[in-house]
Amino acid sequence: MKNIYTIPASAGETTAGSNRPFFNHVPDRLWNDWRWQMRSRVRTVEKLAQYLPLSHEQQEQLSFVTAKYPLSITPHYLCLINPDDPYDPIRRQAVPALEETALCGLGDEDPLAEAELSPVPGLVHRYPDRALIITGNICPVLCRHCNRKRQWRQGPFIQTDATLAPMLDYIQKTPGIRDVILSGGDPLTFSTGRLERLISALRRIKHVEIIRLGTRYPVTLPQRITVELCSMLAKYGPIWVNTHFNHPAELTPEAARACQRLLRAGMPVNNQCVLLRGVNDTVEVQEALCRGLLKINVRPYYLFHTDDVQATEHLRTPVEAGVAIMAGLRGSVSGLGLPTYVVDLPGGGGKVPLQPDYLISGSDSEYVFRNPKGKICRYRNPKN
Ligand SMILES: *Cc1c(COP(=O)(O)O)cnc(C)c1O
């Protein structure tokens, strides 16, 4: 099948002036200002109804859902939605669905047992060499598939220097930790100054080798990736950025430019995609996404099976769907563009990779494989 999603030829080079149907009265100066984007987030059903056709009944249903699971969409991300398509893949990720409350009996609040694995509040320590700091719960767009949805109900919060101190102290006293992940709610919600205080404090800890930023700002609010932010981050490398593109329609010129800036400041950008029903659960969409990411120098890192999180069931697929997608990609997409499909095991069991089985049998003398096209191939096994 032909790809229907293409990246604008100008990806990575241009700035504003691109497609913004609902906001063409907004001057570029404001549109490109991340604070304006943040201030202008759509956070009520009434406001959303100004942009998307919603019947009175739909508005009532949405109000019911948002009482439990709020809504937040940046103007940038809102403009990626085709208002005439009720199944639009961007809409599905950002606009609440009745299923969030209707199917809420399924799943867990905290399937990865993050609370249990927190030696100090806000810091998850699951693997000996890695620690994850939850920097808050404020994101520009509230993803409907968020695996920390449990945090939405406590009202907006952000870690302060005072609440970060015990986490830094724990990392300082735990020499096995080499890799510190800032995750969230999004760490780029921090002001650049506060982020610099945290990152420079981590850098003063000798055994911390790398710092990772887990952020969806390049996708949902790319204007946040300013020259000022990047020159601050460039002082504290090695920093690795993991972002979260789920669909090729998110590969806008603004997003490409944000990734380019991070890369030029020395930060490799990897992508962590979540497999979502009705969003990206076909080989065609995943292929277009992976190819599109390579074109903007972003490496597909993980394809996550959706965690068993309460209020996300309508977006989950069977595990087989992910394996079938990997089977469809292998052999037809550059190896650089192939993510590892992983299931994050409940109870803090950790991530395990899943892939189609290419090995049929193996012995001391011979291995038998099936290649991605289904052809059986024999391989002589060298003597030990
Ligand atoms: C996913 C995760 C990591 C990082 O895992 P990688 O496989 O190294 O990317 C670290 N800590 C926690 C708690 C995680 O959930």
PDB file of all heavy atoms in Angstrom, residues 57-78:
ATOM      1  N   GLU A  57     -24.803  16.227  22.877  1.00  0.00           N
ATOM      2  CA  GLU A  57     -24.631  14.971  23.614  1.00  0.00           C
ATOM      3  C   GLU A  57     -23.142  14.644  23.823  1.00  0.00           C
ATOM      4  O   GLU A  57     -22.718  14.269  24.911  1.00  0.00           O
ATOM      5  CB  GLU A  57     -25.334  13.842  22.840  1.00  0.00           C
ATOM      6  CG  GLU A  57     -25.513  12.591  23.670  1.00  0.00           C
ATOM      7  CD  GLU A  57     -25.865  11.375  22.819  1.00  0.00           C
ATOM      8  OE1 GLU A  57     -26.191  11.549  21.629  1.00  0.00           O
ATOM      9  OE2 GLU A  57     -25.783  10.264  23.358  1.00  0.00           O
ATOM     10  N   GLN A  58     -22.379  14.823  22.745  1.00  0.00           N
ATOM     11  CA  GLN A  58     -20.931  14.578  22.867  1.00  0.00           C
ATOM     12  C   GLN A  58     -20.294  15.497  23.902  1.00  0.00           C
ATOM     13  O   GLN A  58     -19.459  15.074  24.690  1.00  0.00           O
ATOM     14  CB  GLN A  58     -20.239  14.813  21.510  1.00  0.00           C
ATOM     15  CG  GLN A  58     -20.375  13.652  20.541  1.00  0.00           C
ATOM     16  CD  GLN A  58     -19.783  14.012  19.184  1.00  0.00           C
ATOM     17  OE1 GLN A  58     -20.043  15.087  18.639  1.00  0.00           O
ATOM     18  NE2 GLN A  58     -18.979  13.119  18.648  1.00  0.00           N
ATOM     19  N   GLN A  59     -20.755  16.754  23.905  1.00  0.00           N
ATOM     20  CA  GLN A  59     -20.193  17.702  24.878  1.00  0.00           C
ATOM     21  C   GLN A  59     -20.516  17.263  26.302  1.00  0.00           C
ATOM     22  O   GLN A  59     -19.678  17.369  27.200  1.00  0.00           O
ATOM     23  CB  GLN A  59     -20.717  19.105  24.623  1.00  0.00           C
ATOM     24  CG  GLN A  59     -20.145  19.707  23.366  1.00  0.00           C
ATOM     25  CD  GLN A  59     -20.556  21.172  23.183  1.00  0.00           C
ATOM     26  OE1 GLN A  59     -20.545  21.946  24.132  1.00  0.00           O
ATOM     27  NE2 GLN A  59     -20.934  21.525  21.982  1.00  0.00           N
ATOM     28  N   GLU A  60     -21.716  16.764  26.498  1.00  0.00           N
ATOM     29  CA  GLU A  60     -22.086  16.289  27.839  1.00  0.00           C
ATOM     30  C   GLU A  60     -21.244  15.090  28.256  1.00  0.00           C
ATOM     31  O   GLU A  60     -20.786  15.000  29.387  1.00  0.00           O
ATOM     32  CB  GLU A  60     -23.566  15.905  27.868  1.00  0.00           C
ATOM     33  CG  GLU A  60     -24.455  17.118  28.006  1.00  0.00           C
ATOM     34  CD  GLU A  60     -25.875  16.759  28.419  1.00  0.00           C
ATOM     35  OE1 GLU A  60     -26.283  15.594  28.184  1.00  0.00           O
ATOM     36  OE2 GLU A  60     -26.551  17.640  28.958  1.00  0.00           O
ATOM     37  N   GLN A  61     -21.059  14.182  27.310  1.00  0.00           N
ATOM     38  CA  GLN A  61     -20.231  13.002  27.604  1.00  0.00           C
ATOM     39  C   GLN A  61     -18.804  13.414  27.943  1.00  0.00           C
ATOM     40  O   GLN A  61     -18.211  12.931  28.905  1.00  0.00           O
ATOM     41  CB  GLN A  61     -20.201  12.056  26.393  1.00  0.00           C
ATOM     42  CG  GLN A  61     -21.523  11.361  26.142  1.00  0.00           C
ATOM     43  CD  GLN A  61     -21.473  10.447  24.925  1.00  0.00           C
ATOM     44  OE1 GLN A  61     -20.518  10.478  24.152  1.00  0.00           O
ATOM     45  NE2 GLN A  61     -22.495   9.633  24.753  1.00  0.00           N
ATOM     46  N   LEU A  62     -18.267  14.340  27.139  1.00  0.00           N
ATOM     47  CA  LEU A  62     -16.894  14.794  27.382  1.00  0.00           C
ATOM     48  C   LEU A  62     -16.762  15.475  28.738  1.00  0.00           C
ATOM     49  O   LEU A  62     -15.766  15.283  29.438  1.00  0.00           O
ATOM     50  CB  LEU A  62     -16.441  15.752  26.276  1.00  0.00           C
ATOM     51  CG  LEU A  62     -16.059  15.124  24.939  1.00  0.00           C
ATOM     52  CD1 LEU A  62     -15.481  16.172  24.009  1.00  0.00           C
ATOM     53  CD2 LEU A  62     -15.037  14.013  25.150  1.00  0.00           C
ATOM     54  N   SER A  63     -17.767  16.254  29.103  1.00  0.00           N
ATOM     55  CA  SER A  63     -17.712  16.923  30.409  1.00  0.00           C
ATOM     56  C   SER A  63     -17.692  15.898  31.530  1.00  0.00           C
ATOM     57  O   SER A  63     -17.000  16.077  32.539  1.00  0.00           O
ATOM     58  CB  SER A  63     -18.914  17.847  30.597  1.00  0.00           C
ATOM     59  OG  SER A  63     -18.928  18.792  29.568  1.00  0.00           O
ATOM     60  N   PHE A  64     -18.444  14.821  31.326  1.00  0.00           N
ATOM     61  CA  PHE A  64     -18.484  13.754  32.317  1.00  0.00           C
ATOM     62  C   PHE A  64     -17.092  13.117  32.469  1.00  0.00           C
ATOM     63  O   PHE A  64     -16.593  12.924  33.567  1.00  0.00           O
ATOM     64  CB  PHE A  64     -19.516  12.710  31.864  1.00  0.00           C
ATOM     65  CG  PHE A  64     -19.682  11.564  32.805  1.00  0.00           C
ATOM     66  CD1 PHE A  64     -20.336  11.735  34.019  1.00  0.00           C
ATOM     67  CD2 PHE A  64     -19.176  10.304  32.476  1.00  0.00           C
ATOM     68  CE1 PHE A  64     -20.484  10.670  34.899  1.00  0.00           C
ATOM     69  CE2 PHE A  64     -19.325   9.237  33.346  1.00  0.00           C
ATOM     70  CZ  PHE A  64     -19.976   9.423  34.558  1.00  0.00           C
ATOM     71  N   VAL A  65     -16.437  12.852  31.341  1.00  0.00           N
ATOM     72  CA  VAL A  65     -15.113  12.213  31.380  1.00  0.00           C
ATOM     73  C   VAL A  65     -14.074  13.163  31.969  1.00  0.00           C
ATOM     74  O   VAL A  65     -13.256  12.770  32.813  1.00  0.00           O
ATOM     75  CB  VAL A  65     -14.667  11.753  29.975  1.00  0.00           C
ATOM     76  CG1 VAL A  65     -13.275  11.147  30.016  1.00  0.00           C
ATOM     77  CG2 VAL A  65     -15.656  10.760  29.391  1.00  0.00           C
ATOM     78  N   THR A  66     -14.114  14.428  31.536  1.00  0.00           N
ATOM     79  CA  THR A  66     -13.066  15.350  31.981  1.00  0.00           C
ATOM     80  C   THR A  66     -13.164  15.695  33.462  1.00  0.00           C
ATOM     81  O   THR A  66     -12.196  16.157  34.049  1.00  0.00           O
ATOM     82  CB  THR A  66     -13.057  16.661  31.155  1.00  0.00           C
ATOM     83  OG1 THR A  66     -14.365  17.207  31.157  1.00  0.00           O
ATOM     84  CG2 THR A  66     -12.607  16.413  29.734  1.00  0.00           C
ATOM     85  N   ALA A  67     -14.337  15.439  34.062  1.00  0.00           N
ATOM     86  CA  ALA A  67     -14.426  15.626  35.508  1.00  0.00           C
ATOM     87  C   ALA A  67     -13.449  14.678  36.209  1.00  0.00           C
ATOM     88  O   ALA A  67     -12.918  14.970  37.275  1.00  0.00           O
ATOM     89  CB  ALA A  67     -15.851  15.378  35.985  1.00  0.00           C
ATOM     90  N   LYS A  68     -13.198  13.528  35.598  1.00  0.00           N
ATOM     91  CA  LYS A  68     -12.260  12.567  36.192  1.00  0.00           C
ATOM     92  C   LYS A  68     -10.875  12.657  35.541  1.00  0.00           C
ATOM     93  O   LYS A  68      -9.857  12.633  36.219  1.00  0.00           O
ATOM     94  CB  LYS A  68     -12.826  11.153  36.049  1.00  0.00           C
ATOM     95  CG  LYS A  68     -12.045  10.139  36.859  1.00  0.00           C
ATOM     96  CD  LYS A  68     -12.799   8.829  37.036  1.00  0.00           C
ATOM     97  CE  LYS A  68     -11.974   7.872  37.907  1.00  0.00           C
ATOM     98  NZ  LYS A  68     -12.455   6.499  37.828  1.00  0.00           N
ATOM     99  N   TYR A  69     -10.856  12.741  34.228  1.00  0.00           N
ATOM    100  CA  TYR A  69      -9.594  12.784  33.492  1.00  0.00           C
ATOM    101  C   TYR A  69      -9.572  14.031  32.615  1.00  0.00           C
ATOM    102  O   TYR A  69     -10.152  14.041  31.527  1.00  0.00           O
ATOM    103  CB  TYR A  69      -9.432  11.524  32.634  1.00  0.00           C
ATOM    104  CG  TYR A  69      -9.333  10.261  33.442  1.00  0.00           C
ATOM    105  CD1 TYR A  69     -10.363   9.324  33.448  1.00  0.00           C
ATOM    106  CD2 TYR A  69      -8.204  10.005  34.213  1.00  0.00           C
ATOM    107  CE1 TYR A  69     -10.279   8.162  34.199  1.00  0.00           C
ATOM    108  CE2 TYR A  69      -8.108   8.852  34.976  1.00  0.00           C
ATOM    109  CZ  TYR A  69      -9.146   7.930  34.960  1.00  0.00           C
ATOM    110  OH  TYR A  69      -9.058   6.790  35.709  1.00  0.00           O
ATOM    111  N   PRO A  70      -8.905  15.088  33.084  1.00  0.00           N
ATOM    112  CA  PRO A  70      -8.974  16.377  32.388  1.00  0.00           C
ATOM    113  C   PRO A  70      -8.389  16.348  30.979  1.00  0.00           C
ATOM    114  O   PRO A  70      -7.804  15.351  30.546  1.00  0.00           O
ATOM    115  CB  PRO A  70      -8.160  17.309  33.286  1.00  0.00           C
ATOM    116  CG  PRO A  70      -7.427  16.447  34.251  1.00  0.00           C
ATOM    117  CD  PRO A  70      -8.137  15.138  34.317  1.00  0.00           C
ATOM    118  N   LEU A  71      -8.555  17.458  30.303  1.00  0.00           N
ATOM    119  CA  LEU A  71      -8.195  17.587  28.908  1.00  0.00           C
ATOM    120  C   LEU A  71      -7.232  18.760  28.772  1.00  0.00           C
ATOM    121  O   LEU A  71      -7.369  19.762  29.470  1.00  0.00           O
ATOM    122  CB  LEU A  71      -9.493  17.797  28.129  1.00  0.00           C
ATOM    123  CG  LEU A  71      -9.723  18.911  27.137  1.00  0.00           C
ATOM    124  CD1 LEU A  71      -9.278  18.455  25.758  1.00  0.00           C
ATOM    125  CD2 LEU A  71     -11.197  19.261  27.084  1.00  0.00           C
ATOM    126  N   SER A  72      -6.234  18.599  27.907  1.00  0.00           N
ATOM    127  CA  SER A  72      -5.330  19.711  27.612  1.00  0.00           C
ATOM    128  C   SER A  72      -4.711  19.489  26.236  1.00  0.00           C
ATOM    129  O   SER A  72      -4.149  18.424  25.969  1.00  0.00           O
ATOM    130  CB  SER A  72      -4.230  19.798  28.677  1.00  0.00           C
ATOM    131  OG  SER A  72      -3.292  20.789  28.320  1.00  0.00           O
ATOM    132  N   ILE A  73      -4.865  20.470  25.363  1.00  0.00           N
ATOM    133  CA  ILE A  73      -4.324  20.366  23.998  1.00  0.00           C
ATOM    134  C   ILE A  73      -3.717  21.719  23.613  1.00  0.00           C
ATOM    135  O   ILE A  73      -4.382  22.755  23.751  1.00  0.00           O
ATOM    136  CB  ILE A  73      -5.424  19.985  22.972  1.00  0.00           C
ATOM    137  CG1 ILE A  73      -6.261  18.788  23.465  1.00  0.00           C
ATOM    138  CG2 ILE A  73      -4.813  19.680  21.607  1.00  0.00           C
ATOM    139  CD1 ILE A  73      -7.420  18.418  22.551  1.00  0.00           C
ATOM    140  N   THR A  74      -2.495  21.711  23.129  1.00  0.00           N
ATOM    141  CA  THR A  74      -1.879  22.968  22.682  1.00  0.00           C
ATOM    142  C   THR A  74      -2.461  23.360  21.320  1.00  0.00           C
ATOM    143  O   THR A  74      -2.880  22.496  20.544  1.00  0.00           O
ATOM    144  CB  THR A  74      -0.356  22.802  22.499  1.00  0.00           C
ATOM    145  OG1 THR A  74      -0.123  21.690  21.619  1.00  0.00           O
ATOM    146  CG2 THR A  74       0.347  22.568  23.815  1.00  0.00           C
ATOM    147  N   PRO A  75      -2.430  24.662  21.004  1.00  0.00           N
ATOM    148  CA  PRO A  75      -2.852  25.079  19.665  1.00  0.00           C
ATOM    149  C   PRO A  75      -2.064  24.337  18.577  1.00  0.00           C
ATOM    150  O   PRO A  75      -2.655  23.909  17.577  1.00  0.00           O
ATOM    151  CB  PRO A  75      -2.552  26.579  19.654  1.00  0.00           C
ATOM    152  CG  PRO A  75      -2.673  26.990  21.088  1.00  0.00           C
ATOM    153  CD  PRO A  75      -2.153  25.818  21.878  1.00  0.00           C
ATOM    154  N   HIS A  76      -0.747  24.162  18.781  1.00  0.00           N
ATOM    155  CA  HIS A  76       0.055  23.455  17.775  1.00  0.00           C
ATOM    156  C   HIS A  76      -0.519  22.066  17.509  1.00  0.00           C
ATOM    157  O   HIS A  76      -0.703  21.660  16.362  1.00  0.00           O
ATOM    158  CB  HIS A  76       1.512  23.329  18.250  1.00  0.00           C
ATOM    159  CG  HIS A  76       2.330  22.411  17.380  1.00  0.00           C
ATOM    160  ND1 HIS A  76       2.900  22.829  16.196  1.00  0.00           N
ATOM    161  CD2 HIS A  76       2.644  21.078  17.486  1.00  0.00           C
ATOM    162  CE1 HIS A  76       3.534  21.807  15.623  1.00  0.00           C
ATOM    163  NE2 HIS A  76       3.388  20.739  16.393  1.00  0.00           N
ATOM    164  N   TYR A  77      -0.792  21.323  18.576  1.00  0.00           N
ATOM    165  CA  TYR A  77      -1.249  19.941  18.405  1.00  0.00           C
ATOM    166  C   TYR A  77      -2.688  19.903  17.880  1.00  0.00           C
ATOM    167  O   TYR A  77      -3.032  19.056  17.063  1.00  0.00           O
ATOM    168  CB  TYR A  77      -1.127  19.195  19.740  1.00  0.00           C
ATOM    169  CG  TYR A  77      -1.009  17.687  19.586  1.00  0.00           C
ATOM    170  CD1 TYR A  77       0.065  17.109  18.907  1.00  0.00           C
ATOM    171  CD2 TYR A  77      -1.968  16.829  20.120  1.00  0.00           C
ATOM    172  CE1 TYR A  77       0.171  15.732  18.764  1.00  0.00           C
ATOM    173  CE2 TYR A  77      -1.862  15.447  19.983  1.00  0.00           C
ATOM    174  CZ  TYR A  77      -0.793  14.908  19.303  1.00  0.00           C
ATOM    175  OH  TYR A  77      -0.677  13.541  19.157  1.00  0.00           O
ATOM    176  N   LEU A  78      -3.503  20.847  18.336  1.00  0.00           N
ATOM    177  CA  LEU A  78      -4.895  20.908  17.893  1.00  0.00           C
ATOM    178  C   LEU A  78      -4.979  21.073  16.374  1.00  0.00           C
ATOM    179  O   LEU A  78      -5.852  20.494  15.715  1.00  0.00           O
ATOM    180  CB  LEU A  78      -5.598  22.084  18.593  1.00  0.00           C
ATOM    181  CG  LEU A  78      -7.097  22.218  18.376  1.00  0.00           C
ATOM    182  CD1 LEU A  78      -7.855  21.055  19.007  1.00  0.00           C
ATOM    183  CD2 LEU A  78      -7.604  23.542  18.958  1.00  0.00           C
TER     184      LEU A  78
END
